[in-house]
Amino acid sequence: MGELVVDKHVKYILSVEKRKDSFESVVLEHLRMNGAYWGLATLDILGKLDALDSNEVIEWIMKCQHESGGFAGNIGHDPHMLYTLSAVQVLALFDKLNVLDADKVANYISGLQNEDGSFSGDEWGEVDSRFSYLAICCLSILHRLDKINVEKAVNYIASCKNVDGGFGCTPGGESHAGQIFCCLGALAITGSLHHVDKDLLGWWLCERQVKSGGLNGRPEKLPDVCYSWWVLSSLIMIDRVHWINKDKLVKFILNCQDTENGGISDRPEDAVDVYHTYFGVAGLSLLEYPGLKAIDPAHALPVDVVNRIFFQK
């Protein structure tokens, strides 16, 4: 199994940032903001955030903000809720939320709430329970939850609950671990977890663990390192994480490492990417792997960052 090759992962993340003309970089150009969050959050969990120039990153982030208050995935792209949360999270990592006009960002988000309490991802109107999480998490970090109708938002999320205890992207949508994380995260932040049948959902989530120790996102699917975050954080939020075999999951994640060049893949022997590297390391943090900073399961930020946001005067 081996150990977490921290220095190799740091080197890999820094190399991804520098290779702007690589195939991976070109095809992911439109969501570079998400990539920045995945990479920088990984560095912070590893205790290595000081390995890059924060001023350069912050300057780039602010160039991605539109007049509407929302952020794009990169300079010259359209704003979306997905990139707006990532931008705010990265600024939080660097303790630089003060560079934002919080009300401007909050007005952009609140303007995307629909009459039924749901949220659109951007001006084009797609509705998804993921966007409810993005809105609530972002406004929570900015101390601006009062800008939206929280009761309607919570009721919409509750309407996405299924008979198996899980949640879908819209009412009646299939339960999926990624959607479950989003709905639980939003309910946890708003103090509304009473809407969840914890035993029923806990059973559905713990059944996501397969023989290899990895977790999948839906029944009969292959395991994937990213669900080490989506499933595990959900189990922690409902106090049912003891229902899975943690040691086998740790082994699965570590077996997905590229021990020579750094990075983590979705499954052993596959190609690595920054997305799975983040969710693998974040999963290990939730599993209390030695030497890693603790991460908050609802806000998806290190606990010390969350404490700084909510408890620092």
Side-chain angles (χ1 to χ4, degrees):
M1 175 173 72
E3 297 180 343
L4 187 67
V5 289
V6 172
D7 291 341
K8 297 280 179 68
H9 295 321
V10 172
K11 188 175 179 182
Y12 165 70
I13 290 166
L14 294 176
S15 72
V16 168
E17 168 59 25
K18 288 170 183 157
R19 291 199 313 264
K20 293 191 173 67
D21 58 348
S22 69
F23 173 76
E24 182 181 18
S25 182
V26 170
V27 296
L28 297 178
E29 183 201 358
H30 65 292
L31 46 76
R32 189 166 174 235
M33 189 68 75
N34 295 148
Y37 161 67
W38 298 327
L40 295 168
T42 304
L43 290 178
D44 202 11
I45 296 167
L46 297 173
K48 305 288 186 180
L49 190 59
D50 57 0
L52 49 72
D53 182 359
S54 63
N55 291 325
E56 190 178 319
V57 176
I58 293 163
E59 184 181 345
W60 168 74
I61 287 174
M62 297 312 293
K63 286 180 180 176
C64 294
Q65 187 174 28
H66 283 242
E67 192 54 43
S68 63
F71 285 82
N74 208 335
I75 297 168
H77 289 258
D78 292 337
H80 194 285
M81 194 98 76
L82 277 164
Y83 313 123
T84 301
L85 175 59
S86 287
V88 169
Q89 286 171 317
V90 171
L91 292 173
L93 289 174
F94 288 122
D95 196 14
K96 290 292 185 181
L97 288 171
N98 61 310
V99 304
L100 283 176
D101 180 338
D103 286 320
K104 186 176 183 179
V105 179
N107 288 337
Y108 168 75
I109 294 170
S110 64
L112 293 171
Q113 187 171 29
N114 302 307
E115 186 58 36
D116 63 356
S118 66
F119 284 84
S120 300
D122 59 15
E123 63 179 310
W124 306 111
E126 180 191 5
V127 172
D128 191 307
S129 55
R130 287 180 304 150
F131 306 150
S132 297
Y133 168 74
L134 298 171
I136 287 169
C137 185
C138 196
L139 292 175
S140 172
I141 293 169
L142 296 174
H143 303 283
R144 295 294 190 281
L145 273 173
D146 59 340
K147 291 275 189 178
I148 61 168
N149 188 321
V150 173
E151 183 180 0
K152 276 191 171 184
V154 167
N155 287 339
Y156 178 77
I157 293 167
S159 75
C160 296
K161 185 168 66 172
N162 292 319
V163 293
D164 56 16
F167 292 81
C169 57
T170 52
E174 179 187 7
S175 294
H176 184 283
Q179 303 293 154
I180 289 168
F181 161 78
C182 290
C183 292
L184 286 186
L187 293 175
I189 290 168
T190 57
S192 306
L193 284 172
H194 58 275
H195 286 284
V196 180
D197 184 332
K198 295 180 181 179
D199 283 341
L200 184 62
L201 177 55
W203 180 247
W204 190 94
L205 288 166
C206 77
E207 282 196 315
R208 304 282 60 78
Q209 190 163 37
V210 300
K211 287 182 180 178
S212 65
L215 299 163
N216 62 25
R218 288 177 291 166
E220 304 302 322
K221 296 292 185 178
L222 293 172
D224 187 315
V225 157
C226 70
Y227 293 111
S228 306
W229 170 262
W230 308 118
V231 173
L232 206 55
S233 57
S234 298
L235 284 167
I236 288 171
M237 285 188 274
I238 59 172
D239 302 315
R240 299 295 184 275
V241 73
H242 53 287
W243 287 7
I244 64 162
N245 187 318
K246 295 183 185 179
D247 292 338
K248 285 186 74 173
L249 180 54
V250 169
K251 184 177 180 180
F252 175 79
I253 297 171
L254 293 177
N255 283 340
C256 293
Q257 297 182 103
D258 180 337
T259 54
E260 291 185 17
N261 301 306
I264 298 175
S265 58
D266 57 349
R267 283 177 283 281
E269 307 304 325
D270 283 356
V272 303
D273 58 66
V274 70
Y275 172 88
H276 288 94
T277 302
Y278 167 58
F279 287 114
V281 170
L284 289 173
S285 171
L286 291 175
L287 291 161
E288 300 178 298
Y289 188 88
L292 301 182
K293 288 173 70 170
I295 190 166
D296 181 271
H299 289 92
L301 288 168
V303 169
D304 65 329
V305 174
V306 173
N307 288 343
R308 189 168 67 210
I309 292 166
F310 294 110
F311 304 118
Q312 182 176 289
K313 291 184 178 179

